[in-house]
Amino acid sequence: MSSKVVYEGWMVRYGRRKIGRSFIHMRYFVLESRLLAYYKRKPQDNQVPIKTLLIDGNCRVEDRGLKTHHGHMVYVLSVYNKKEKNHRIMMAAFNIQEALIWKEKIEYVIDQHQGAQPSNGNKYISFEYKSGMDNGKTASSSDRESQFSAQEDEDDPHPNLLRRTTIGNGLLRIPTACGSCSRAMKAVGVVEATCEEIFELVMSMDGTRFDLKARNGLMNCSDRLAPAPFTFLSWDCSFQHGSLVEEVDGHTAVLYHRLQLDWFVWPRDLCYVRYWRRNDDGSYVVLFRSREHENCGPQPGCVRAHIESGGFNISPLKSRNGRPRTQVQHLMQIDLKGWGVGYLSSFQQYCVRQMLNSVAGLREWFAQSDERNAHPRIPVMVNMSSTSVSSKKNQKPNDFSVNPASLDQMNSASRNSALIDEYSDDEEDFQIAESEQEAYQIGLENDVKRTALEEEPANEIDLSSFSGNLRRDDRDNARDCWKISDGNNFRVRSKHFCYDKSKVPAGKHMLDLVAVDWFKDSKRIDHVARRQGCAAQVASEKGFFSIVINLQVPASTHYSMVFYFVTKELVSGSLLHRFVDGDDEFRNSRFKLIPSVPKGSWIVRQSVGSTPCLLGKAVDCNYIRGPKYLEIDVDIGSSTVANGVLGLVIGVITTLVVDMAFLVQANTPDELPERLIGAVRISHLELKTAIVPKLEPDPS
């Protein structure tokens, strides 16, 4: 018996042959209420699909990011069942918006099956398509036949090889330049376009970024108010050309970039890592940082500049007059190098301002309606060839010469502020009367305080019996330690969230954080609660209940940060009690993390963010229910997005202060307000202080 079609249309089938080469084929995908299938052409009558995947509550849609195939870039999704990962469907789109629609539709179907079990154990069932199945919820991307004719695709023979850990090969195993004279500068503007449209342009490395024809039509690149009378064809006047050096994974790439600085100086070029991610709120973060690469050495005739920190933050705003609006922030801290920079600091400042003018360039680009008739595809990037940049033998790249006519422009730039604020008065849309907001907020916070007082245990737990190898230190300037983070640092769903989407400070934790362990080993460390003498076992001997959260960090050496949250007893029938005794599907749909980086560089704070994340949907979580504990092993290495963030964080972890709050998401009025399981602050962690644990044999 067939079920109704939820979504259908042409998509790209992406994979790798057994010899390691990637392929893409156009295939027609059909998503039903229990099944995802694809065909060589739009199905008719009882046509049998090429491949199917049964959709249930154990399925997951993994964002694999951008992949390159013969110069084409596609946005890849991987759909699989967590209980049988070797069977998966890899689908992709040239347009990121179409990929996001498919991701949303598949996740919607998965959510409908939370708690439901398949009627039989056969995961791969056939699909029978009948005409006339379309209904109001059916949508079609297009009605075209496949654009490519080729032998049918094979499954990826090494599915795990696609997820390359970026630690040690990513952003932050890079020494920061010492003694740099550069300063961070930021531009902010409002652009009338969707986040996806802006993101695709920002990721481009082709002529859409800066066309030479536009160069002759721009009277002054530093003055966006005086364009030439004909159409402006590009948006980044500091870009000359760029190439892909290495694709680390779908969210991380090493790029080569030649700058166009409009001065009589030696050309500047860059070799840098670009990392990006999409947040749950629809915003995008794109981050840059320089690094060395064996296939991208110094180019003859160029001075290699150094990006210390930089990137874009692309956030959606409230639409106006039916037109989408997005706030674009562009930050850049770059050292242009060369001996002359130290003598003419205005040159450095002027060039950075020229790069930041890309925000205004984006606004102008999208203001031209004739450029937006069709959504741009994710642009082509050409692999970098061997170094073949011509230069004169009698010239030295570090020489610095300036056109005297340009000095007036540089001096003018040096008088301007280092912060370019292009804020629009459109932000008035988000202003609320302070008195009303404060009164309403006080009422909500009082509700939380009353709830906290009602649930506060009568007797406190004696913490002296518990210990972990990472020490606790409540001083603000302490290093390589942990302390309990104030729950009011985090905002959670209020009692009235279902009606007004309001959030309030979280208040007191439900459980006590009694100990933290910091482990390392040559392999992933699972089921740490079985370790003799650990805090969970001590709590069990006292009759207490523990929730153990084991954050597993992949690298050449595997690390685990283990938090032990303890309570005297669980409240029967509470949301937390249902979470502890529920099945994995329910747990995955509710286990939430709220991160924050109170102290750290801009690039790290942007990469980590502060948006709540359902961990069970973002990464693989393994739940181990013991007699008096629940352990949650969180495999951060199972997600390419999380791996990218780790690549940013792990190299500078000693400079960071990180807050984490764990909770069970509340969805219904009787479950609200949300309460924290607990929260922790980790300060300036040292990798070298991790120890190898002595674990008892796992009885499972």
Side-chain angles (χ1 to χ4, degrees), residues 68 71 73 203-205 243-244 253 255 274 379-383:
T68 306
M73 296 202 72
M203 298 292 281
S204 68
M205 298 289 281
S243 304
L244 174 66
L255 303 175
R274 182 186 67 193
V380 173
M381 287 197 295
V382 182
N383 284 330

Side-chain angles (χ1 to χ4, degrees), residues 417-628:
S417 169
L419 179 65
I420 308 175
D421 283 322
E422 297 182 3
Y423 283 109
S424 162
D425 55 3
D426 296 338
E427 310 313 306
E428 294 173 1
D429 293 346
F430 308 99
Q431 306 264 335
I432 303 175
E434 290 187 4
S435 57
E436 292 181 21
Q437 188 177 23
E438 289 176 2
Y440 183 61
Q441 204 66 22
I442 290 172
L444 293 175
E445 292 175 9
N446 286 339
D447 286 343
V448 174
K449 290 176 182 177
R450 283 195 297 271
T451 305
L453 289 173
E454 290 168 3
E455 299 185 14
E456 189 170 346
N459 299 317
E460 298 292 334
I461 293 176
D462 180 12
L463 304 181
S464 61
S465 304
F466 303 94
S467 63
N469 75 291
L470 188 66
R471 65 187 179 88
R472 175 175 178 173
D473 193 328
D474 292 335
R475 294 174 301 171
D476 290 338
N477 60 349
R479 301 182 64 86
D480 195 29
C481 61
W482 68 273
K483 72 175 183 178
I484 295 174
S485 184
D486 186 350
N488 290 322
N489 293 334
F490 307 92
R491 300 185 68 80
V492 297
R493 296 180 174 184
S494 74
K495 189 174 183 179
H496 308 287
F497 180 83
C498 292
Y499 308 103
D500 56 16
K501 304 301 181 185
S502 59
K503 293 189 175 184
V504 294
K508 185 175 175 60
H509 315 147
M510 288 191 292
L511 278 67
D512 290 312
L513 178 58
V514 299
V516 177
D517 279 326
W518 180 221
F519 293 145
K520 66 179 178 181
D521 206 341
S522 58
K523 60 183 181 300
R524 196 178 67 189
I525 307 168
D526 297 322
H527 196 182
V528 293
R530 73 182 190 269
R531 186 174 65 88
Q532 189 68 32
C534 74
Q537 294 200 9
V538 173
S540 179
E541 293 170 0
K542 294 178 176 291
F544 300 158
F545 187 86
S546 303
I547 293 181
V548 182
I549 299 176
N550 175 16
L551 299 184
Q552 300 169 322
V553 182
S556 54
T557 298
H558 291 257
Y559 293 91
S560 274
M561 176 71 71
V562 187
F563 307 106
Y564 301 89
F565 298 96
V566 174
T567 184
K568 289 194 171 181
E569 60 180 354
L570 296 173
V571 178
S572 179
S574 66
L575 176 60
L576 182 60
H577 186 263
R578 287 160 46 207
F579 174 80
V580 167
D581 287 338
D583 58 24
D584 287 357
E585 294 177 15
F586 178 75
R587 292 164 176 161
N588 284 333
S589 68
R590 298 297 189 97
F591 183 44
K592 183 189 287 187
L593 165 70
I594 306 177
S596 177
V597 182
K599 183 178 180 182
S601 67
W602 180 88
I603 194 170
V604 173
R605 283 187 280 111
Q606 292 297 319
S607 67
V608 174
S610 58
T611 304
C613 171
L614 286 172
L615 284 176
K617 293 188 175 182
V619 296
D620 291 347
C621 294
N622 185 33
Y623 302 89
I624 304 164
R625 180 66 160 94
K628 296 291 289 184

Side-chain angles (χ1 to χ4, degrees), residues 155-199:
D155 291 335
D156 179 7
H158 305 291
N160 293 328
L161 293 183
L162 290 176
R163 271 191 302 232
R164 292 183 54 187
T165 302
T166 59
I167 297 174
N169 195 27
L171 279 176
L172 290 182
R173 291 224 182 254
I174 309 160
T176 303
C178 299
S180 171
C181 62
S182 63
R183 60 186 301 189
M185 300 173 69
K186 183 172 74 171
V188 184
V190 176
V191 180
E192 288 194 342
T194 65
C195 290
E196 283 71 30
E197 290 172 324
I198 297 170
F199 169 75

Side-chain angles (χ1 to χ4, degrees), residues 4 134 159 169 246 308 322 362 370 434 460 535 537 617 644-645 673:
K4 64 180 180 181
D134 295 347
N169 195 27
E246 181 189 357
E308 297 173 18
L362 287 167
D370 58 335
E434 290 187 4
E460 298 292 334
Q537 294 200 9
K617 293 188 175 182
V645 175

